């Protein structure tokens, strides 16, 4: 496991040869492994342990439903309070959870290593809520249920784009990606790697918006709007969650 101190090199963002050799690609932080295990456990219990009636109760109680926020709070239970976060731990199938899990490992690992478990948890909760309410804003009063960690994963993608790709060019390296200086929004958009990745990601979500299915779809409607709101939260506001830069002499 790597530590979560989040310290950032003073100037050089190139990995030393010995670090490149010793750092495994799949050396995931323990907290991230715990999150992925939690997602799997929630899916297994809700899908294979609960009865059909129990599953319906579970989805209603922990899934995000826009209609709740168009209904007077006095006419409903307290689900409106926690579902903007708890929906992100529910998934609609093996393909759905596998797709989100892979992206979570790719982008959640560097973000978690950089900002630590507490800030990562805060980022998860805030991005889940922003993605959910962004979706609700465009689907006000809709009775459909939103589930899945895609909005959070999108936020982690946006956050990672602010630091994992070297400013001078090149791809992400797991040994030092979390240690690189945070680039400003304009610097990130001027980074060719970040720009190409962002445009491709936006294009993929536009395809989904126009009804063209992509890998990771689970047979139902994909909340592409929640993806975009999550990504914007992570990309534009990552500085609020980032650690202060520590420079050692």
């Amino acid at each position: 496991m790597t530590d979560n101190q989040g310290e950032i090199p003073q100037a050089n963002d190139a990995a030393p040869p010995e670090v490149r050799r010793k750092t495994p690609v799949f050396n995931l932080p323990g907290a991230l492994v715990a999150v992925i295990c939690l997602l799997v456990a929630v899916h297994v219990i809700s899908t294979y342990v609960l009865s059909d009636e129990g599953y319906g109760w579970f989805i209603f109680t922990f899934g995000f439903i826009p209609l709740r926020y168009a209904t007077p709070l006095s006419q409903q239970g307290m689900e409106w309070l926690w579902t903007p976060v708890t929906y992100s731990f529910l998934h609609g199938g093996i393909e759905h959870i596998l797709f989100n899990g892979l992206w979570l490992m790719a982008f959640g690992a560097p973000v978690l290593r950089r900002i630590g478990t507490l800030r990562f948890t805060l980022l998860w909760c805030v991005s889940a809520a922003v993605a959910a309410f962004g979706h609700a804003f465009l689907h006000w009063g809709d009775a459909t249920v939103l589930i899945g960690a895609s909005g959070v994963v999108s936020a982690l993608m946006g956050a990672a784009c602010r630091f994992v790709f070297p400013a001078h060019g090149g791809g992400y390296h797991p040994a030092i990606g979390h240690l690189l200086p945070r680039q400003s929004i304009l610097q990130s958009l001027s980074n060719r790697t970040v720009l190409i990745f962002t445009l491709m990601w936006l294009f993929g979500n536009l395809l989904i918006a126009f009804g063209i299915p992509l890998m990771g779809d689970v047979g139902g409607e994909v909340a592409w709007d929640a993806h975009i709101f999550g990504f914007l939260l992570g990309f534009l506001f990552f500085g609020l969650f980032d650690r202060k830069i520590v420079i050692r002499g």
Side-chain angles (χ1 to χ4, degrees), residues 12-14 165-170 183 191:
N12 186 14
D13 56 5
F165 300 115
H168 58 69
Q183 301 170 46
N191 186 318

Side-chain angles (χ1 to χ4, degrees), residues 113-130:
R113 289 190 180 106
R114 183 183 182 91
I115 67 177
T117 302
L118 182 60
R119 291 171 185 258
F120 182 86
T121 302
L122 180 61
L123 177 57
W124 183 293
C125 294
V126 172
S127 59
V130 168

Side-chain angles (χ1 to χ4, degrees), residues 22-38:
K22 294 180 181 180
T23 304
V25 174
F26 296 106
N27 185 21
L28 298 176
L32 186 60
V33 174
V35 169
I36 294 174
C37 290
L38 176 61

Side-chain angles (χ1 to χ4, degrees), residues 13 20 163-173 176 180 183 191-195 197:
D13 56 5
R20 291 180 181 272
F163 65 89
V164 299
F165 300 115
H168 58 69
Y172 163 66
H173 192 281
I176 62 163
L180 300 182
Q183 301 170 46
N191 186 318
R192 186 170 179 270
T193 304
V194 173
L195 183 60
F197 173 83

Side-chain angles (χ1 to χ4, degrees), residues 34-121:
V35 169
I36 294 174
C37 290
L38 176 61
L39 298 181
V40 173
V42 169
H43 177 69
V44 170
I45 292 173
S46 63
T47 304
Y48 301 105
V49 176
L50 297 180
S51 64
D52 291 343
E53 182 179 351
Y55 180 78
W57 169 87
F58 188 81
I59 292 296
F60 176 81
T61 303
F62 298 105
F64 182 86
I65 305 175
L67 179 59
R68 283 196 174 108
Y69 304 91
T71 303
L73 299 182
S74 60
Q75 300 178 14
Q76 57 178 302
M78 297 295 292
E79 292 85 0
W80 63 270
L81 185 61
W82 58 73
T83 52
V85 174
T86 57
Y87 82 93
S88 63
F89 295 96
L90 281 59
H91 289 82
I94 296 298
E95 184 181 357
H96 191 196
I97 197 170
L98 178 63
F99 186 78
N100 279 339
L102 290 174
W103 285 111
L104 185 58
M105 287 189 285
F107 291 94
V111 174
L112 178 54
R113 289 190 180 106
R114 183 183 182 91
I115 67 177
T117 302
L118 182 60
R119 291 171 185 258
F120 182 86
T121 302

